[in-house]
Amino acid sequence: MFQKILIANRGEIAVRIIRACKEMGIKTVAVYSDADKNAMHTYLADESVCIGPAPVKNSYLNMQAIISAAVNTGAEAIHPGYGLLSENPAFAKLCEECNISFIGPSSKIIRKMGDKNEARKTMKEAGVPIVEGSSLIKDGMEARKLAEEIGFPLLIKAKAGGGGRGIRKVESMDELDNAFATASGEALSVFGDGGVYMEKFISPAKHIEVQILGDNYGNIVTLGERECSVQRNNQKILEESPSPAIDENIRKKLEETAKKAGKAVKYVGLGTIEFIMDRDKNFYFMEMNTRLQVEHTVTEAVTGIDLVKWQIRVASGCKLDIKQEDIKINGVAIECRINTEDPFNNFLAQTGKITLLHIPGGPKVRFDTAVYQGYEIPPFYDSMIGKLIVHGRNREETIRKMKAALCEMVIEGVVVNTELQLEVLDYKDFVQGDYSTFMLENLLKERKENRK
Ligand code: ADP
Ligand code: ADP
Ligand code: MG
């Protein structure tokens, strides 16, 4: 087992990883930017190293600085968290070359699955259903020909996209030329790679994903699914496990397909296979995230398995001692992402100082955060400041528990999205359980009309 791990991230996920290390008796090294001198992860780690100025490109994305910090502190492994360098094959490669264990799959697997177009090809070959669509598009003319075959509406997606960015919906042929040019241009400037492909727009759609975990000895287990259809701008804000909309039969098929996907690339570590599901419950591979996911917490609640600890164990060469038949899904868990944004003003990001903070508690209420009272939220990073996770025996109990916890939570000094989360929990489609990715938009539309 590792003696010391460097955490190449910030915020709640850095704190989450530090906690797992502490419980395992592993020493921790935090890295921080100038803006994060007073951040929670900087305080909690055994050692902390400043790696540069506030902007991520100068600090949390500065591979050389992070590797140097690991070498100088004698850390044997780096945990990348999510976002930032977590799905960067060049960083994983650099770790491999420097003899530092990257806590995640090999750079080869990351490269293969991180390119969304490449991943579609690999999955198709493995017999995993993919959304009808194209490979990389060469030019406007090819785009028109492909669009005719696929039909409208369709999506143009950046092969390097992520975090809900790099997806553009196209309604008709009239929009296509312009959309293709803008999408490729944006992809190039945001992701440094202009490659785009097309997918049929599934409507209405549900986002359901399966957690997988593999070791170095060819073992792969699936840990149930997560329903992630509550989204704004293609990004999740609330997740639950299990999905209330599928039966045992579909659950089994989803898990088998996810396992097949994992086996096809000999997956090692923690990973997520994201599926899109249509109205008839047909599902298709959308992408794979080769890292720890924001919403891993709901899976931890219903399975009772600490995913971060397993990630670390697997990376250090341990064999999975969890058998598939021993993984049981108990009750229902929901996670609400607490974002510093104004949901009733186009989700505009907010900053400020937290003047008063009260975190809800009680049985099976978990709040993962890195903020504290008096903390000033820097404007440079993600708007998610915490995740509230509750676990109950059934969905009704879990929804009631979440509402109680959200009502108890006090965050003053900065606008957060708590009110919207409460409205979601009361919304008819959510309560009934079989909702699509359109739900949040519908809720906001109805809300606006009712207030007129
Ligand atoms: P999850 O799939 O775990 O729910 P999200 O899509 O919400 O994760 O992304 C988690 C974090 O990682 C967010 O901060 C998001 O902005 C960031 N992120 C994910 N993928 C990318 C990417 N390819 N480029 C930039 N940021 C990304
Ligand atoms: P990212 O890498 O940004 O997470 P994804 O490919 O996972 O991108 O897609 C993000 C979200 O966009 C999905 O959760 C879903 O809501 C929506 N989406 C993606 N592909 C489709 C599709 N073919 N049809 C309908 N919605 C889609
Ligand atoms: Mg995704």
Side-chain angles (χ1 to χ4, degrees), residues 116 155 157 164 199-200 202 207 231 234 274 286-287:
K116 295 170 86 167
L155 297 177
K157 288 184 159 186
E199 258 180 26
K200 189 185 173 72
I202 310 269
H207 172 129
Q231 299 185 355
N234 295 322
E274 296 190 339
M286 194 160 46
E287 67 158 341

Side-chain angles (χ1 to χ4, degrees), residues 168-223:
R168 180 174 294 259
K169 189 171 164 198
V170 190
E171 301 280 358
S172 69
M173 205 50 105
D174 301 341
E175 292 174 28
L176 189 69
D177 281 343
N178 191 19
F180 172 69
T182 329
S184 336
E186 270 176 17
L188 185 62
S189 69
V190 178
F191 307 111
D193 187 324
V196 296
Y197 63 99
M198 277 179 198
E199 258 180 26
K200 189 185 173 72
F201 181 68
I202 310 269
S203 153
K206 299 170 66 55
H207 172 129
I208 298 182
E209 58 186 36
V210 177
Q211 179 72 64
I212 69 167
L213 174 63
D215 66 11
N216 288 290
Y217 310 94
N219 304 302
I220 293 185
V221 294
T222 57
L223 296 120

Side-chain angles (χ1 to χ4, degrees), residues 42 58 69 94 99 106 109 111 119 142 228 267-268 272 277 283 306 351 356 441-442:
T42 311
N58 302 323
L94 196 57
N99 252 329
S106 67
I109 294 183
R111 180 161 283 122
E142 194 188 25
C228 305
Y267 196 76
V268 177
T272 300
M277 185 178 275
F283 58 85
D306 188 315
T351 52
L356 188 63
E441 209 180 302
N442 292 338

Side-chain angles (χ1 to χ4, degrees), residues 82-84 86-87 160-165 190-191 207 209 228 234-236 239 274 287 289 291-296 337 382-384:
Y82 54 67
L84 299 173
S86 63
E87 290 179 284
R165 281 169 297 173
V190 178
F191 307 111
H207 172 129
E209 58 186 36
C228 305
N234 295 322
Q235 213 184 9
K236 307 151 187 168
E239 302 92 346
E274 296 190 339
E287 67 158 341
N289 292 322
R291 56 168 165 90
L292 178 65
Q293 204 104 355
V294 173
E295 59 276 17
H296 72 280
R337 299 191 189 195
D382 216 73
S383 65
M384 194 186 75

